[in-house]
Amino acid sequence: MYLAEIGVKCPNCSSAFRSRQIPIIMDNGYRTSELRLYFHGEREQFEPYAVCTCPSCGHSDWATAFRRSFDETFLYQPNIPAHLQYRTAALTAERKGRTFFSIGQYYLYAAWCADDDGAVPQAREYRRLAIDAFRKSLMDGSCPKDKKGEIEYLIGELMRRSGDFQGASDYFRGAVSRLPGKFAMMARRLIRLAEQENLIPIDFVA
């Protein structure tokens, strides 16, 4: 994995600082059952570097929200766990009235980064918050139409991964008939894992 030190400017306070980011992300096509891209242990995950926090005002958002800056600066992005940065971004998005779909994405990435850090209680809480936001996004229409099947599937898998086995099993049984083919196939596999009270993510196999 290639990490680059990039100068950026905060969209909130306009402070310039240095941030470590991955300029190019190669999609190898492999996903976990939570639809997270993974590399078979060959390299680090990219999500911890897809979030950025300003050292001056503490504003957190996707790294792409911080425009490139060529100003000379001695400030650096603070060394804060990525899952806490995503949590801050989600709370900011809630406060500013952004869509439930975008809020759900922040909490989903927070859960994955918490997994990486071994922060188990936080990861489960982030999944519950992502479920709530994604459910609301399906009701208010903020979920893109081409993502609806994916999000309906993901809600059930997030329930299983958060430890709500009965809820996941019941949810998938009710949703499987309306899920697109590849998601319906995975849902049937995940029902069996939920019945076994198994939290482990598996490969997504269409």
Side-chain angles (χ1 to χ4, degrees):
M1 180 182 65
Y2 171 63
L3 276 175
E5 191 175 282
I6 298 170
V8 296
K9 186 166 287 189
C10 176
N12 186 57
C13 71
S14 297
S15 293
F17 60 97
R18 310 293 293 179
S19 172
R20 295 179 74 204
Q21 299 179 15
I22 303 175
I24 299 175
I25 300 167
M26 301 298 293
D27 188 343
N28 61 6
Y30 293 102
R31 296 288 189 281
T32 69
S33 49
E34 277 188 320
L35 307 180
R36 186 184 189 186
L37 177 67
Y38 76 105
F39 304 99
H40 298 284
E42 298 170 2
R43 65 184 78 173
E44 290 183 83
Q45 297 294 145
F46 78 89
E47 291 89 0
Y49 303 99
V51 67
C52 196
T53 296
C54 175
S56 294
C57 70
H59 177 75
S60 295
D61 205 340
W62 301 108
T64 52
F66 292 73
R67 59 187 172 85
R68 190 75 181 265
S69 172
F70 296 95
D71 295 347
E72 184 176 358
T73 179
F74 298 100
L75 293 176
Y76 287 83
Q77 181 173 341
N79 186 24
I80 300 170
H83 70 91
L84 295 179
Q85 296 182 65
Y86 280 117
R87 178 180 178 274
T88 299
L91 292 172
T92 299
E94 290 174 3
R95 188 172 65 251
K96 292 188 175 182
R98 293 177 63 179
T99 68
F100 285 115
F101 181 75
S102 64
I103 293 167
Q105 288 184 306
Y106 288 127
Y107 281 126
L108 178 63
Y109 275 53
W112 292 342
C113 291
D115 285 343
D116 295 342
D117 292 343
V120 176
Q122 292 92 332
R124 289 188 177 184
E125 180 60 20
Y126 296 145
R127 285 183 170 91
R128 295 186 188 107
L129 291 166
I131 290 166
D132 181 63
F134 284 142
R135 281 185 184 275
K136 290 175 179 175
S137 79
L138 291 170
M139 290 187 291
D140 73 1
S142 64
C143 176
K145 289 183 180 180
D146 63 344
K147 294 284 187 182
K148 184 177 178 182
E150 177 181 313
I151 294 302
E152 285 193 294
Y153 158 83
L154 189 55
I155 287 169
E157 175 59 345
L158 288 169
M159 292 172 75
R160 181 185 74 89
R161 294 277 285 123
S162 69
D164 183 4
F165 301 115
Q166 187 62 54
S169 182
D170 292 343
Y171 174 86
F172 274 134
R173 284 194 172 88
V176 70
S177 63
R178 65 176 182 270
L179 293 177
K182 61 182 180 180
F183 294 120
M185 289 175 61
M186 279 298 297
R188 292 186 180 96
R189 294 179 64 194
L190 296 173
I191 287 171
R192 292 194 293 273
L193 290 181
E195 289 173 342
Q196 297 164 11
E197 298 191 354
N198 188 333
L199 282 170
I200 304 300
I202 60 174
D203 291 352
F204 186 94
V205 180

